[in-house]
């Protein structure tokens, strides 16, 4: 219930960090990049999302994800 849309690259046939995967998300969510937060464990994927205007959180094991999402205004 916390997510507006989920995009799985394996289902879409486009892999990160290709900008098209993020554009699919924008269309599916019906949101501008600035309204979205991208969470991933690979820095280059976060960089690609941020270049398109999204906030990014690079997840690492043990991270307090809720705290990081609060920092970017997602919670």
């Amino acid at each position: 219930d916390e997510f507006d849309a989920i995009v799985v690259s394996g289902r879409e046939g486009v892999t990160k960090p290709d900008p098209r995967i993020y554009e699919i998300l924008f269309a599916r969510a019906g949101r501008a990049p600035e309204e979205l937060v991208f969470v991933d464990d690979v820095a280059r994927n976060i960089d690609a999302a941020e270049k398109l205007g999204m906030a990014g959180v690079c997840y690492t094991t043990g991270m307090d994800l809720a705290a990081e999402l609060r920092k970017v205004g997602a919670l």
Side-chain angles (χ1 to χ4, degrees), residues 12-37:
E12 304 299 333
V14 181
T15 58
K16 301 169 284 185
D18 186 322
R20 292 177 296 166
I21 193 71
Y22 305 101
E23 291 164 1
I24 292 167
L25 174 62
F26 306 152
R28 189 163 300 159
R31 306 254 180 182
E34 298 79 18
E35 298 177 279
L36 300 171
V37 177

Side-chain angles (χ1 to χ4, degrees), residues 38-57:
F38 182 75
V39 178
D40 200 292
D41 62 346
V42 178
R44 73 175 178 265
N45 297 338
I46 299 296
D47 292 342
E50 290 176 337
K51 284 179 184 174
L52 294 172
M54 283 189 281
V57 174

